[in-house]
Amino acid sequence: MISQAIIDFFSRIYGSFSLTQRSFIVTDAEIIKQITVKDFDSFVNHDLNFNEEIDKLSGKMLVALINDEWRNMRNILSPIFTSSKMKMMFGILSESANEFIDVHLEKSKSGKLIVDCKEMFSRYTVDGISTAVLGFKGDCVKNEESELFKFVQRMMKPTFFDGIKLVVFMVSRWLYVKLRFQLTKKEVKMGPLYIFI
């Protein structure tokens, strides 16, 4: 008979596989806090699937960096998440939320309002990220023809070739690297957001 302690442990941490690579998924908030705050030096390398050889854009993200690169970048980014800066970000996101509500209240006054919830909240998300993180107003909620939103849509929409690249990536990393595939599309690298990377 399985003891309650073992059941409790596996409800907080469990394993998974991505083809042949194993990983652990932590669901307990206290353990996550222990790993990310107190013991972060022991958990440096998160996901070895993504590096600059696999994808130049994804390979520069914090979760893809390893060893000293990760430590240095974490030290650079940590001051961004002080309580005062988080409060400031909350204020910015609140303004975006209020604008979002005002726009849709105004649209609803005309009578029947049919909305695409996915697109509506996607526009709000792009606005929030561009304002709070990148420092410019995206104007995606008010402006139906927003170039920024169109760019993000192109970036997120997978093509048949994207599917082929993903299959090659999952089956043979060696072949993927040899063929010089990149998960990020070329137009994304040339797009307006790439200058921030």
Side-chain angles (χ1 to χ4, degrees):
M1 189 167 179
I2 300 171
S3 74
Q4 189 61 40
I6 292 172
I7 292 170
D8 288 344
F9 176 77
F10 284 111
S11 67
R12 297 184 297 157
I13 299 175
Y14 60 93
S16 72
F17 278 91
S18 173
L19 294 177
T20 58
Q21 185 170 348
R22 62 180 179 226
S23 62
F24 292 99
I25 298 168
V26 181
T27 59
D28 184 81
E30 285 302 313
I31 298 173
I32 292 170
K33 186 176 179 183
Q34 181 77 27
I35 290 169
T36 56
V37 178
K38 296 174 183 171
D39 297 331
F40 76 89
D41 269 341
S42 302
F43 295 92
V44 177
N45 301 333
H46 298 102
D47 190 350
L48 300 177
N49 285 327
F50 290 105
N51 55 45
E52 287 197 53
E53 196 174 50
I54 298 295
D55 189 65
K56 284 186 171 54
L57 187 62
S58 302
K60 292 177 182 174
M61 293 190 305
L62 185 62
V63 293
L65 297 175
I66 59 171
N67 301 324
D68 288 337
E69 272 187 310
W70 179 82
R71 283 190 184 89
N72 294 338
M73 187 54 70
R74 189 182 188 279
N75 290 335
I76 290 167
L77 292 176
S78 289
I80 295 170
F81 298 100
T82 60
S83 59
S84 62
K85 296 230 173 107
M86 295 290 274
K87 283 177 188 170
M88 187 179 73
M89 273 191 228
F90 180 77
I92 291 168
L93 291 173
S94 293
E95 282 175 30
S96 292
N98 288 332
E99 183 183 314
F100 174 81
I101 292 165
D102 292 343
V103 166
H104 288 91
L105 279 174
E106 192 63 39
K107 284 181 180 178
S108 68
K109 287 178 184 173
S110 62
K112 290 182 180 177
L113 176 65
I114 299 169
V115 292
D116 179 345
C117 287
K118 183 181 176 189
E119 182 179 323
M120 182 173 75
F121 285 107
S122 295
R123 286 179 178 276
Y124 171 68
T125 302
V126 173
D127 255 359
I129 292 170
S130 65
T131 309
V133 180
L134 301 175
F136 65 89
K137 196 148 180 61
D139 195 32
C140 300
V141 174
K142 278 184 181 175
N143 183 5
E144 295 281 328
E145 298 299 315
S146 167
E147 286 299 319
L148 178 65
F149 186 69
K150 286 178 183 176
F151 171 75
V152 171
Q153 279 187 311
R154 285 196 307 272
M155 184 172 81
M156 300 306 288
K157 190 174 181 182
T159 62
F160 178 72
F161 185 59
D162 292 334
I164 290 172
K165 287 192 292 186
L166 193 59
V167 169
V168 172
F169 171 72
M170 293 176 77
V171 173
S172 172
R173 302 264 162 77
W174 175 84
L175 180 61
Y176 177 90
V177 172
K178 207 75 175 156
L179 292 171
R180 295 185 180 174
F181 284 155
Q182 292 284 297
L183 291 177
T184 307
K185 299 173 187 175
K186 280 183 182 176
E187 62 265 29
V188 173
K189 290 179 185 175
M190 299 306 188
L193 295 181
Y194 197 67
I195 57 169
F196 291 99
I197 292 145

